[in-house]
Amino acid sequence: MDAEHLAKVTALMGQLLTAQDPYEVGVELWGCSGRAAGEVAPDMQLIWGALTDWVELKPEEGQQAKARVRRAAQEWLALDLANRAAIERYLDYWVHDVCGYGR
């Protein structure tokens, strides 16, 4: 796994929890994942693309979408990043069960 990307993602997740507008930080997460290499980057790009699209495209659901964005960050920050299986479970859950991408 790309340690530099994981460190950047984790720092942004921390910022997201306290950001006045989590959408902006979510867009940054999507962008940094799109430019990153490694196993985690493509799934992170899918997750943050879907979550930020929800905020942007369905403003009437903005509060619900932003709450989901913050939950994704909280769950990431609770992970043991040394545990590859935990990261894979997180990515699988968010990509497929929450964001709805097919398996």
Side-chain angles (χ1 to χ4, degrees):
M1 294 198 181
D2 181 6
E4 184 178 332
H5 180 242
L6 287 179
K8 177 72 173 171
V9 162
T10 301
L12 288 169
M13 296 280 194
Q15 290 175 24
L16 197 146
L17 290 182
T18 59
Q20 184 172 345
D21 185 359
Y23 170 80
E24 295 299 325
V25 181
V27 169
E28 193 172 344
L29 270 161
W30 172 77
C32 88
S33 294
R35 294 183 298 275
E39 299 171 38
V40 174
D43 286 340
M44 280 293 186
Q45 189 177 22
L46 289 174
I47 293 165
W48 292 97
L51 292 175
T52 55
D53 280 356
W54 184 17
V55 173
E56 184 177 337
L57 300 174
K58 295 185 178 182
E60 69 279 4
E61 297 176 11
Q63 294 300 350
Q64 181 184 2
K66 288 178 182 179
R68 181 80 48 92
V69 163
R70 291 189 197 279
R71 191 180 113 216
Q74 288 170 331
E75 289 181 12
W76 177 263
L77 293 170
L79 290 175
D80 172 3
L81 296 180
N83 183 337
R84 184 183 191 109
I87 292 172
E88 289 174 4
R89 281 190 303 274
Y90 172 93
L91 295 172
D92 183 71
Y93 171 75
W94 281 93
V95 167
H96 303 293
D97 297 338
V98 176
C99 295
Y101 291 101
R103 294 191 188 277

